[in-house]
Amino acid sequence: YWVSMLTTFLGSTWTLVGSECSRGCIRIAVFVRSSLVTDVANVQTGSETFGVPVIFRKGAAAVCLSLRSRRLLFISAHMSAHE
């Protein structure tokens, strides 16, 4: 639902190339200009959760991709304080 809202808000100028959700708490979405979408390759996503097995409010989600000759990694994380 949240990805479709972002996609609608950004319009046709931007294209979603990867998104990930870590147990519903940590989210990430990576968009590129539509003119660059053919230059994107090797998109990978992943997530990890930490903490009490029932709550899972800590963790990370990531999107990795190649844009032309560059490898890019985007991470969204929420970790425990003071650790």
Side-chain angles (χ1 to χ4, degrees), residues 10-17 30-40 67-68:
L10 292 172
S12 62
T13 305
W14 296 90
T15 301
L16 176 70
V17 292
V30 177
F31 291 81
V32 297
R33 286 199 177 269
S34 296
S35 60
L36 295 175
V37 78
T38 57
D39 296 326
V40 175
L67 178 62
R68 296 181 177 157

Side-chain angles (χ1 to χ4, degrees), residues 15 17 20 40 56 60-63 73:
T15 301
V17 292
E20 183 69 23
V40 175
F56 286 120
V63 176
L73 173 63

Side-chain angles (χ1 to χ4, degrees), residues 40-60:
V40 175
N42 305 317
V43 177
Q44 297 174 314
T45 62
S47 65
E48 189 66 45
T49 55
F50 311 102
V52 180
V54 178
I55 301 172
F56 286 120
R57 296 196 187 276
K58 307 296 181 196

